[in-house]
Amino acid sequence: MRLSTKGRYGLRAVLDLALHSRDDEAVALSGIAERQSISISYLEQLIAKLKRAGIVESTRGARGGYVLTRPAEEISVGDILRALEGDLNPVDCAELIGGPSCHASDVCVTKYVWKRISDSINEVVDNLMLSELVEESREVQAAAGKEKKKDNILC
């Protein structure tokens, strides 16, 4: 399975938001864009999807920007990726999407492969919480030292 830039950049943006929001203080998109080297226009598209999914919300005014709608402990990587990418199925298989059966479903053996791959992906992303990424990022930043702290790009 290969994630698009929507999923990769969007996850980086949400992680950046979680890292830089203090006491529910909003984070400006311009700051995220600069730290993550993502264009503002693309970031606006990603944030709009995340907002529709209820992961972030905006605040207006001089100190406006974006905040998480829930604590990072309650937001899974799966929540974020599905908001940006849609389902995370490795293939378009009727068995996985719950649609009408395909003509070969009675004799298809590969559907079991796709189902196991899909289940594995979903288990990982649903059990990996944003708070874990925040903690990991802080540990990596601390280990890298203060010299590298200016370069906050998250891969």
Side-chain angles (χ1 to χ4, degrees), residues 55-118:
I55 294 171
V56 301
E57 63 186 6
S58 61
T59 59
R60 296 181 181 259
R63 296 176 134 323
Y66 290 85
V67 295
L68 298 174
T69 58
R70 304 182 304 257
E73 296 81 18
E74 296 176 15
I75 301 172
S76 73
V77 170
D79 295 334
I80 298 164
L81 293 178
R82 281 187 204 90
L84 297 161
E85 298 278 357
D87 71 58
L88 301 177
N89 293 325
V91 295
D92 290 331
C93 172
E95 193 75 21
L96 296 177
I97 60 175
S101 293
C102 72
H103 68 282
S105 68
D106 291 342
V107 294
C108 180
V109 176
T110 59
K111 68 183 177 187
Y112 299 110
V113 174
W114 312 139
K115 175 93 170 86
R116 287 185 66 186
I117 291 170
S118 180

Side-chain angles (χ1 to χ4, degrees), residues 26-40:
V27 177
L29 279 188
S30 60
I32 297 171
E34 184 178 323
R35 285 187 295 272
Q36 300 307 317
S37 297
I38 303 171
S39 78
I40 284 278

